[in-house]
Amino acid sequence: MASPDGPPLSLRPFPVADKAPQNLAEFIARVNTQSGGFRDVTENKLQDEIKSNQVVNGADTDPEDVDMSDLGHDEEPVKDAALVRMDVLKNIEIAGNTAMLTLDSLSLLLSKQNPTQAGLTLSQQLREMVGIGTLGADKLDEPILNVNKEKDEEEVATGWTLMQINQARDAADEAGKFLQREVDAESKYWEDVMAVKKSGWSICRVPHERHTLGVKFGFSEASPEFKNNGLAPMRRGDSGSVELDLGRLGGVSEGLVVTYEKDGEVVGRSVPRRRAHDDTSLESRVLEARNTIFSQELWHELTREARTLAAYGVRPEGSTLTCSVDDSSKIILELVPLTSCPVADDSLPDNSIAEAIFISLHVLLSYAHRYNELMRIRPIPPHISRSRGQQVYALLRPVITCMASSRSILSCTTYIGSITKALQKSGLPASFTLKTTQFSAADPSSQGPNQLAGAQSLIRNILQTIEFNITFTILPNVSLTIRGRTFLFPVTTTFYQVALPPSSTLQGICAPYADGYSNPKALFSYIRTTTERAVTLHFLNALSASPNPAQWIQSGTSIRDPEDDSRALQFTIAEQPVALVLTSSFSNNPKGETKSWTYSAHLDSEPTRLEDVVARETSRPRP
């Protein structure tokens, strides 16, 4: 039993829909679904289907059963299928004609107001029969006017109009403010863009973003890893300022720091220049981006070159490159963000060396770019391929070569200068002269097409073999010339050669090695031996030219008595410190003790002239 609050319980069966077709369209659809459709409907076929249905139904029912469904109903006469088909076709034709007449009537009615649009649906027969615009419509009855209602409607319309006017005014004010902000922002944006353009930077469209401008600050001859990173889109910010999209550079400004250390202490450092914190101009930001991509490429090329310079003390240590100058000093290269750069210290004594290395590395990379451009535009024979691959630039090797040449010059001048001072202290007129190579740019008037510019030719000359000449005058008639050459390729080293003047006396007493000397120690050994023998020969000749010449002979670097070997004067060049030492064994001491005189650049040098000492010692009588 249903609850009183719920829906009532119904005992009637569910209604069954009428299976007969509801309209003509449904009837036609049912006929078409049967086999053959209207075309195969014949009287004989329908009679056969009726008989077959009766046979099937009769087999399923009992003969004694009585069908009660037909009681009280008269049998309906069977309709002819052909007549039904004709009736259906007639109704379809009537419906089509009615639709066409309705369309023609409406088209003719509309042709008075809009003949062009109505002429598209108006039939040609009706157009020729009555023409266009011959049918019209008028309003027969005027509506009843209500003054109060019209007044109310007018007030409502006025209110709506005022509201719309206020909304339009507010929208216009907002649009005006928005347009003013856009004008100010666009003006500021284009001012920055034009300032960059006037500064010499190249402005172009960004690839794949045709509506975005970009500034090109990279280098066309850079390596492929950095050539495509030199273009930054200039996007407009909300306030109109230009925002450089530096995502390809990592979003961080970087620079190369060069540190010069001696005995573990920093004695020189070069720090990259940064823009001021209050300098937010677009030109300074573009310049900083250019310096960043240049420093990144420089660091990349330095790390590539360092793999070929392990024999010269260049090795990577974490995020730095270390280049050993000598046993106590080294150069440290590091790429760091500008925000993490150390503070510049002007009190360091060797800042100039670090700054020179910093500038040299940047100049050499720029020279490599120019050389790539020259090789690209210069005509070459057709059998030579232009695609030679990415070559390793010589950036750190020229710096190593220059420092090696400087060390060679310093060591030679220091040693020869010490010997010269020692000889001068002894009273001998010794001297030396240093001549180095002077580099100069090529004459612009003598340059042809596709040739290097003057500055580039200067860099090319600097990259050649570095030479220096030292003319060492031991005595007025005895001199020699030392030629030092520091090679860049294939091996970075200094090679020394000694040249003697024609008919020099040194050819007979100490001729130099014809193939030269590959290290300073061998060169210094020759200079020491040559000086000792030249001084010995000088004093032997002086003794022979005296008014009362005695019989003396030369034995290596000493003067001896041919009759008494214990009587001798030995001339030697001491090493540390460099000094000229005269050792005499002319004394009559029975113990055979010797006496020596030392001449050097120090304050404790012997004050007596060497010539007087030799004369006094050789004048001693024999025991």
CSV table of all heavy atoms in Angstrom, one decimal, residues 92-130:
chain,number,residue,atom,x,y,z
A,92,ILE,N,1.4,14.9,-52.8
A,92,ILE,CA,2.8,15.4,-52.8
A,92,ILE,C,2.8,16.6,-53.8
A,92,ILE,O,3.4,17.6,-53.6
A,92,ILE,CB,3.8,14.3,-53.2
A,92,ILE,CG1,3.9,13.3,-52.1
A,92,ILE,CG2,5.2,14.9,-53.5
A,92,ILE,CD1,4.7,12.1,-52.4
A,93,GLU,N,2.2,16.4,-55.0
A,93,GLU,CA,2.2,17.5,-56.0
A,93,GLU,C,1.4,18.7,-55.5
A,93,GLU,O,1.9,19.8,-55.7
A,93,GLU,CB,1.6,16.9,-57.3
A,93,GLU,CG,1.6,17.9,-58.4
A,93,GLU,CD,1.1,17.4,-59.7
A,93,GLU,OE1,0.6,16.2,-59.7
A,93,GLU,OE2,1.1,18.1,-60.7
A,94,ILE,N,0.3,18.5,-54.8
A,94,ILE,CA,-0.4,19.6,-54.2
A,94,ILE,C,0.4,20.4,-53.2
A,94,ILE,O,0.5,21.6,-53.2
A,94,ILE,CB,-1.7,19.1,-53.6
A,94,ILE,CG1,-2.7,18.6,-54.6
A,94,ILE,CG2,-2.4,20.2,-52.8
A,94,ILE,CD1,-3.9,17.9,-54.1
A,95,ALA,N,1.1,19.6,-52.4
A,95,ALA,CA,2.0,20.3,-51.4
A,95,ALA,C,3.1,21.1,-52.0
A,95,ALA,O,3.4,22.2,-51.6
A,95,ALA,CB,2.6,19.3,-50.4
A,96,GLY,N,3.7,20.5,-53.1
A,96,GLY,CA,4.7,21.3,-53.8
A,96,GLY,C,4.2,22.5,-54.5
A,96,GLY,O,4.9,23.6,-54.4
A,97,ASN,N,3.0,22.4,-55.1
A,97,ASN,CA,2.4,23.6,-55.7
A,97,ASN,C,2.1,24.7,-54.7
A,97,ASN,O,2.3,25.9,-54.9
A,97,ASN,CB,1.2,23.2,-56.5
A,97,ASN,CG,1.6,22.4,-57.7
A,97,ASN,OD1,2.7,22.5,-58.3
A,97,ASN,ND2,0.6,21.5,-58.2
A,98,THR,N,1.6,24.2,-53.6
A,98,THR,CA,1.2,25.2,-52.5
A,98,THR,C,2.5,25.9,-52.0
A,98,THR,O,2.5,27.2,-51.8
A,98,THR,CB,0.6,24.5,-51.3
A,98,THR,OG1,-0.6,23.8,-51.8
A,98,THR,CG2,0.2,25.5,-50.3
A,99,ALA,N,3.6,25.2,-51.8
A,99,ALA,CA,4.8,25.8,-51.4
A,99,ALA,C,5.3,26.8,-52.4
A,99,ALA,O,5.8,27.9,-52.1
A,99,ALA,CB,5.9,24.8,-51.1
A,100,MET,N,5.3,26.5,-53.7
A,100,MET,CA,5.7,27.4,-54.8
A,100,MET,C,4.9,28.6,-54.9
A,100,MET,O,5.4,29.7,-55.0
A,100,MET,CB,5.8,26.6,-56.1
A,100,MET,CG,6.8,25.5,-56.2
A,100,MET,SD,8.5,26.1,-56.0
A,100,MET,CE,8.6,27.2,-57.5
A,101,LEU,N,3.6,28.4,-54.7
A,101,LEU,CA,2.7,29.6,-54.8
A,101,LEU,C,2.9,30.5,-53.6
A,101,LEU,O,2.9,31.8,-53.7
A,101,LEU,CB,1.2,29.2,-54.8
A,101,LEU,CG,0.8,28.5,-56.1
A,101,LEU,CD1,-0.7,27.9,-55.9
A,101,LEU,CD2,0.9,29.4,-57.3
A,102,THR,N,3.1,29.9,-52.4
A,102,THR,CA,3.4,30.7,-51.2
A,102,THR,C,4.7,31.5,-51.4
A,102,THR,O,4.8,32.7,-51.1
A,102,THR,CB,3.5,29.8,-50.0
A,102,THR,OG1,2.3,29.1,-49.9
A,102,THR,CG2,3.7,30.7,-48.8
A,103,LEU,N,5.8,30.8,-51.9
A,103,LEU,CA,7.1,31.5,-52.2
A,103,LEU,C,6.9,32.6,-53.2
A,103,LEU,O,7.5,33.7,-53.0
A,103,LEU,CB,8.1,30.5,-52.6
A,103,LEU,CG,9.5,31.0,-52.9
A,103,LEU,CD1,10.1,31.6,-51.6
A,103,LEU,CD2,10.4,29.9,-53.4
A,104,ASP,N,6.2,32.4,-54.3
A,104,ASP,CA,6.0,33.4,-55.3
A,104,ASP,C,5.2,34.6,-54.7
A,104,ASP,O,5.5,35.8,-55.0
A,104,ASP,CB,5.3,32.9,-56.5
A,104,ASP,CG,6.2,32.0,-57.3
A,104,ASP,OD1,7.4,32.1,-57.2
A,104,ASP,OD2,5.7,31.2,-58.2
A,105,SER,N,4.2,34.3,-53.9
A,105,SER,CA,3.4,35.4,-53.3
A,105,SER,C,4.3,36.3,-52.4
A,105,SER,O,4.3,37.5,-52.4
A,105,SER,CB,2.2,34.9,-52.5
A,105,SER,OG,1.4,34.1,-53.4
A,106,LEU,N,5.0,35.6,-51.5
A,106,LEU,CA,5.9,36.4,-50.6
A,106,LEU,C,7.0,37.2,-51.4
A,106,LEU,O,7.3,38.3,-51.0
A,106,LEU,CB,6.5,35.5,-49.6
A,106,LEU,CG,5.5,34.8,-48.6
A,106,LEU,CD1,6.2,33.9,-47.6
A,106,LEU,CD2,4.8,35.9,-47.8
A,107,SER,N,7.5,36.5,-52.4
A,107,SER,CA,8.6,37.2,-53.2
A,107,SER,C,8.0,38.4,-53.9
A,107,SER,O,8.7,39.4,-54.0
A,107,SER,CB,9.2,36.2,-54.1
A,107,SER,OG,9.8,35.1,-53.5
A,108,LEU,N,6.8,38.2,-54.5
A,108,LEU,CA,6.2,39.4,-55.2
A,108,LEU,C,5.9,40.5,-54.2
A,108,LEU,O,6.0,41.7,-54.5
A,108,LEU,CB,5.0,38.9,-55.9
A,108,LEU,CG,4.2,39.9,-56.8
A,108,LEU,CD1,5.2,40.4,-57.9
A,108,LEU,CD2,3.0,39.4,-57.4
A,109,LEU,N,5.5,40.1,-53.0
A,109,LEU,CA,5.2,41.2,-52.0
A,109,LEU,C,6.4,41.9,-51.5
A,109,LEU,O,6.4,43.1,-51.4
A,109,LEU,CB,4.5,40.5,-50.8
A,109,LEU,CG,4.1,41.4,-49.6
A,109,LEU,CD1,3.0,42.5,-50.1
A,109,LEU,CD2,3.5,40.6,-48.5
A,110,LEU,N,7.5,41.2,-51.4
A,110,LEU,CA,8.8,41.8,-51.0
A,110,LEU,C,9.5,42.5,-52.1
A,110,LEU,O,10.4,43.3,-51.8
A,110,LEU,CB,9.7,40.7,-50.4
A,110,LEU,CG,9.3,40.1,-49.1
A,110,LEU,CD1,10.2,39.0,-48.7
A,110,LEU,CD2,9.1,41.1,-48.0
A,111,SER,N,9.1,42.2,-53.3
A,111,SER,CA,9.8,42.9,-54.5
A,111,SER,C,9.6,44.4,-54.5
A,111,SER,O,10.3,45.1,-55.2
A,111,SER,CB,9.4,42.2,-55.8
A,111,SER,OG,8.0,42.4,-56.0
A,112,LYS,N,8.5,44.9,-53.8
A,112,LYS,CA,8.3,46.3,-53.8
A,112,LYS,C,9.3,47.0,-53.0
A,112,LYS,O,9.7,48.2,-53.3
A,112,LYS,CB,6.9,46.5,-53.3
A,112,LYS,CG,6.4,48.0,-53.5
A,112,LYS,CD,4.9,48.1,-53.2
A,112,LYS,CE,4.5,49.6,-53.4
A,112,LYS,NZ,3.0,49.8,-53.1
A,113,GLN,N,9.7,46.4,-51.9
A,113,GLN,CA,10.7,47.1,-51.0
A,113,GLN,C,12.1,46.7,-51.3
A,113,GLN,O,13.0,47.5,-51.3
A,113,GLN,CB,10.4,46.7,-49.5
A,113,GLN,CG,9.2,47.5,-48.9
A,113,GLN,CD,7.9,46.8,-49.3
A,113,GLN,OE1,7.9,45.7,-49.7
A,113,GLN,NE2,6.8,47.6,-49.2
A,114,ASN,N,12.4,45.4,-51.7
A,114,ASN,CA,13.7,45.0,-52.0
A,114,ASN,C,13.7,44.1,-53.2
A,114,ASN,O,13.6,42.9,-53.1
A,114,ASN,CB,14.3,44.2,-50.8
A,114,ASN,CG,15.7,43.9,-50.9
A,114,ASN,OD1,16.4,44.2,-51.9
A,114,ASN,ND2,16.3,43.3,-49.8
A,115,PRO,N,13.6,44.7,-54.4
A,115,PRO,CA,13.5,43.9,-55.6
A,115,PRO,C,14.7,43.0,-55.9
A,115,PRO,O,14.5,41.9,-56.5
A,115,PRO,CB,13.3,45.0,-56.7
A,115,PRO,CG,13.9,46.2,-56.1
A,115,PRO,CD,13.7,46.2,-54.7
A,116,THR,N,15.9,43.4,-55.5
A,116,THR,CA,17.0,42.6,-55.8
A,116,THR,C,17.0,41.3,-55.1
A,116,THR,O,17.2,40.2,-55.6
A,116,THR,CB,18.3,43.4,-55.5
A,116,THR,OG1,18.3,44.6,-56.2
A,116,THR,CG2,19.5,42.6,-55.9
A,117,GLN,N,16.7,41.4,-53.8
A,117,GLN,CA,16.7,40.2,-52.9
A,117,GLN,C,15.5,39.3,-53.3
A,117,GLN,O,15.6,38.1,-53.4
A,117,GLN,CB,16.7,40.6,-51.5
A,117,GLN,CG,16.8,39.4,-50.5
A,117,GLN,CD,18.1,38.7,-50.6
A,117,GLN,OE1,19.1,39.4,-50.9
A,117,GLN,NE2,18.2,37.4,-50.2
A,118,ALA,N,14.4,39.9,-53.5
A,118,ALA,CA,13.2,39.1,-53.8
A,118,ALA,C,13.2,38.5,-55.2
A,118,ALA,O,12.6,37.5,-55.4
A,118,ALA,CB,11.9,40.0,-53.7
A,119,GLY,N,14.0,39.1,-56.1
A,119,GLY,CA,14.0,38.6,-57.5
A,119,GLY,C,14.8,37.2,-57.5
A,119,GLY,O,14.7,36.5,-58.5
A,120,LEU,N,15.5,36.9,-56.5
A,120,LEU,CA,16.3,35.7,-56.5
A,120,LEU,C,15.3,34.5,-56.3
A,120,LEU,O,15.6,33.4,-56.7
A,120,LEU,CB,17.3,35.7,-55.4
A,120,LEU,CG,18.4,36.8,-55.5
A,120,LEU,CD1,19.4,36.7,-54.3
A,120,LEU,CD2,19.2,36.6,-56.8
A,121,THR,N,14.2,34.7,-55.6
A,121,THR,CA,13.3,33.6,-55.3
A,121,THR,C,12.0,33.7,-56.1
A,121,THR,O,11.1,32.8,-56.0
A,121,THR,CB,12.9,33.6,-53.8
A,121,THR,OG1,12.4,34.8,-53.5
A,121,THR,CG2,14.2,33.3,-53.0
A,122,LEU,N,11.8,34.7,-56.9
A,122,LEU,CA,10.6,34.9,-57.7
A,122,LEU,C,10.7,34.1,-59.0
A,122,LEU,O,11.7,34.1,-59.6
A,122,LEU,CB,10.3,36.4,-58.0
A,122,LEU,CG,9.0,36.7,-58.7
A,122,LEU,CD1,7.8,36.4,-57.9
A,122,LEU,CD2,9.0,38.2,-59.1
A,123,SER,N,9.6,33.3,-59.3
A,123,SER,CA,9.7,32.4,-60.5
A,123,SER,C,9.6,33.3,-61.7
A,123,SER,O,9.1,34.4,-61.8
A,123,SER,CB,8.5,31.5,-60.5
A,123,SER,OG,7.3,32.2,-60.5
A,124,GLN,N,10.2,32.8,-62.8
A,124,GLN,CA,10.3,33.5,-64.1
A,124,GLN,C,8.9,33.7,-64.7
A,124,GLN,O,8.6,34.7,-65.3
A,124,GLN,CB,11.2,32.7,-65.0
A,124,GLN,CG,11.5,33.5,-66.3
A,124,GLN,CD,12.3,34.7,-66.1
A,124,GLN,OE1,13.0,34.8,-65.1
A,124,GLN,NE2,12.1,35.7,-67.0
A,125,GLN,N,8.0,32.7,-64.5
A,125,GLN,CA,6.7,32.8,-65.1
A,125,GLN,C,5.9,34.0,-64.5
A,125,GLN,O,5.2,34.8,-65.2
A,125,GLN,CB,5.9,31.5,-65.0
A,125,GLN,CG,6.5,30.3,-65.8
A,125,GLN,CD,7.6,29.7,-65.0
A,125,GLN,OE1,8.0,30.1,-63.9
A,125,GLN,NE2,8.2,28.7,-65.7
A,126,LEU,N,5.9,34.1,-63.2
A,126,LEU,CA,5.2,35.1,-62.5
A,126,LEU,C,5.8,36.5,-62.8
A,126,LEU,O,5.1,37.5,-62.9
A,126,LEU,CB,5.2,34.9,-61.0
A,126,LEU,CG,4.4,35.9,-60.1
A,126,LEU,CD1,2.9,35.8,-60.6
A,126,LEU,CD2,4.5,35.5,-58.6
A,127,ARG,N,7.2,36.5,-62.9
A,127,ARG,CA,7.8,37.8,-63.3
A,127,ARG,C,7.4,38.3,-64.6
A,127,ARG,O,7.1,39.5,-64.8
A,127,ARG,CB,9.3,37.6,-63.3
A,127,ARG,CG,10.2,38.8,-63.6
A,127,ARG,CD,11.6,38.5,-63.9
A,127,ARG,NE,12.2,37.9,-62.7
A,127,ARG,CZ,12.9,38.5,-61.8
A,127,ARG,NH1,13.1,39.8,-61.9
A,127,ARG,NH2,13.5,37.9,-60.8
A,128,GLU,N,7.3,37.4,-65.6
A,128,GLU,CA,6.8,37.8,-66.9
A,128,GLU,C,5.3,38.1,-67.0
A,128,GLU,O,4.9,38.9,-67.8
A,128,GLU,CB,7.1,36.7,-67.9
A,128,GLU,CG,8.6,36.4,-68.1
A,128,GLU,CD,8.9,35.2,-69.0
A,128,GLU,OE1,7.9,34.6,-69.4
A,128,GLU,OE2,10.1,34.9,-69.3
A,129,MET,N,4.6,37.5,-66.1
A,129,MET,CA,3.1,37.7,-66.1
A,129,MET,C,2.7,39.0,-65.5
A,129,MET,O,1.9,39.8,-66.0
A,129,MET,CB,2.4,36.6,-65.4
A,129,MET,CG,0.9,36.6,-65.5
A,129,MET,SD,0.1,35.2,-64.6
A,129,MET,CE,0.7,33.9,-65.6
A,130,VAL,N,3.2,39.3,-64.3
A,130,VAL,CA,2.7,40.5,-63.5
A,130,VAL,C,3.8,41.5,-63.3
A,130,VAL,O,3.5,42.7,-62.9
A,130,VAL,CB,2.1,40.1,-62.2
A,130,VAL,CG1,0.9,39.2,-62.4
A,130,VAL,CG2,3.1,39.4,-61.3
